[in-house]
Amino acid sequence: MSIEAIAYSVPALTQSADDIAAATGADPGFVAEKVGLRSRHILAAGQTGISLAVDACRRLMQANPDLQPNDVDLLVCVTQNPDRRIPHNAPGIAHELGLPASVASFDISLGCSGYVYGLEIVQGFLERAGLKHGILVTCDPYSRIMAKEDKDTNCIFGDAATATWIKAEPGRSETLATDFGTDGSGGDAIEVPASGAARPLVSLLEDSQVASHDRESLRLHMRGRAVFNFVMSRVPTSIDACLRKAGCQLADIDWFALHQGSIYMLDALARRADIPSDKLLKNMDRYGNTVSSTIPLLLAELDERGELAGRTLLLSGFGVGLSWASAVVRFRP
């Protein structure tokens, strides 16, 4: 199995640290320096998660003539925030791209760990079903579930979509090892409380407390300190375990592509895991935290600079669930 190429798309609508500070009442220096977000992209009116994902997929195919709609056997979309509760986004993306009706398509409801999980799911599905070409899409438009005034979320997240071509034969890359984990006891650290089965908007039960849900229960909530403590306690261990499984040392890794939660969190995690600062990839300043798209965005930009081929990378995503996932991937010269 091989990661062959990655493309991405970001909305045209941008906001600066000053724009975000004005909306939230936060200090502009806090947004730009501690969070690390200097500009970001968010969906404009009329845009959707599907439309952004379709653009990323089209860019992937335009840059790779060997991958065209009729070649795609599998399309998996990582998102927790689909355009509608039902149906999932993947069939809509497949339809817009003109993929054949024989394509297998489905969503994965994962956040910041979703890209690494998705790589393994796509590779396993291709192998088990005897398929050849898969596209892994990431798109979590948190701008559509955030409250403008909420410092805990609006100072951090941005929107982006990525598309990764995965081929079921030896090629540009190989995955040397993976490590996964989940701690559901902290799941409420990042949540949208209402609109699921526990707090439905509509129900057949006459005595249920459906009534009207206020805006607070329908927006994204995050307890930053709880998330930070989770990352510091779980992720360094996952990184160590993944390196051991791959038979690698820290010095064997050329680049560390870690989830861009915030610059403060990223730097603290690097210190805890003894990651050299000159090998730590960052793009938080230009995109914010794009959830499941942070890691593939880092890889795509690295590839654009010609610094992916011949390198060994450690990928690690962590967040909603709470969940984490790490992988060591080697790209051939």
Side-chain angles (χ1 to χ4, degrees), residues 243 247-256 279 311-313 330:
L243 288 170
C248 294
Q249 305 293 323
L250 279 170
D252 298 322
I253 305 299
D254 297 299
W255 296 111
F256 291 83
K279 292 184 176 183
R311 309 298 172 90
T312 301
L313 283 80
R330 177 174 294 153

Side-chain angles (χ1 to χ4, degrees), residues 165-207:
W165 173 21
I166 299 171
K167 186 169 66 172
E169 60 184 41
R172 194 179 181 200
S173 77
E174 60 177 327
T175 300
L176 304 184
T178 55
D179 183 77
F180 303 93
T182 307
D183 180 7
S185 67
D188 60 355
I190 309 171
E191 66 168 351
V192 176
S195 78
R199 296 178 64 181
L201 300 180
V202 179
S203 173
L204 293 179
L205 302 179
E206 295 181 1
D207 297 331

Side-chain angles (χ1 to χ4, degrees), residues 17 20 28-40 155-156 260-267 282-289:
I20 296 165
F30 169 81
V31 179
E33 301 299 334
K34 194 161 188 178
V35 176
L37 194 162
R38 296 180 180 274
S39 68
R40 69 168 175 204
C155 290
I156 296 174
Q260 308 284 292
S262 73
I263 290 297
Y264 177 78
M265 178 185 291
L266 194 59
D267 288 341
K282 295 180 180 179
N283 62 11
M284 177 83 191
D285 59 324
R286 287 171 284 119
Y287 301 109
N289 177 345

